[in-house]
């Protein structure tokens, strides 16, 4: 299943836009990979791509998921 990695921000000031983006990163514990900032009338707007970290490794039928152990070993979960 595909994950979304597109985020939109807007604020009347550039400082406010920065603070919104900074807060989003802290709350979501994700970083922004690429940003495009433009002014749209009285707002500063940003379309951003997030760093896609949601990779799920599964068997071909999708029933078995791979897990990384605390030792860094990749194993298949047979549930």
């Amino acid at each position: 299943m595909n994950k979304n990695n597109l985020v939109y921000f807007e604020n009347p000031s550039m400082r406010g836009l920065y603070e919104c983006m900074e807060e989003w990163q802290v709350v979501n514990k994700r970083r922004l990979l690429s940003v495009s900032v433009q002014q749209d009338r009285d707002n500063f707007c940003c379309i951003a791509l997030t760093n896609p970290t949601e990779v799920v490794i599964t068997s071909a039928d999708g029933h078995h998921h791979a897990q990384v152990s605390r030792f860094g070993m990749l194993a298949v979960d047979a549930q």
Side-chain angles (χ1 to χ4, degrees), residues 16-57:
L17 181 65
Y18 169 82
E19 289 170 355
C20 290
M21 295 167 68
E22 177 75 14
E23 179 182 355
W24 184 93
Q25 289 186 113
V26 170
V27 168
N28 292 282
K29 296 181 176 134
R30 296 177 64 195
R31 66 186 175 100
L32 300 173
L33 182 65
S34 173
V35 299
S36 176
V37 176
Q38 302 289 323
Q39 192 165 6
D40 184 14
R41 295 188 181 151
D42 295 332
N43 283 325
F44 290 93
C45 304
C46 175
I47 295 176
L49 294 176
T50 62
N51 189 22
T53 58
E54 306 88 358
V55 176
V56 178
I57 300 170

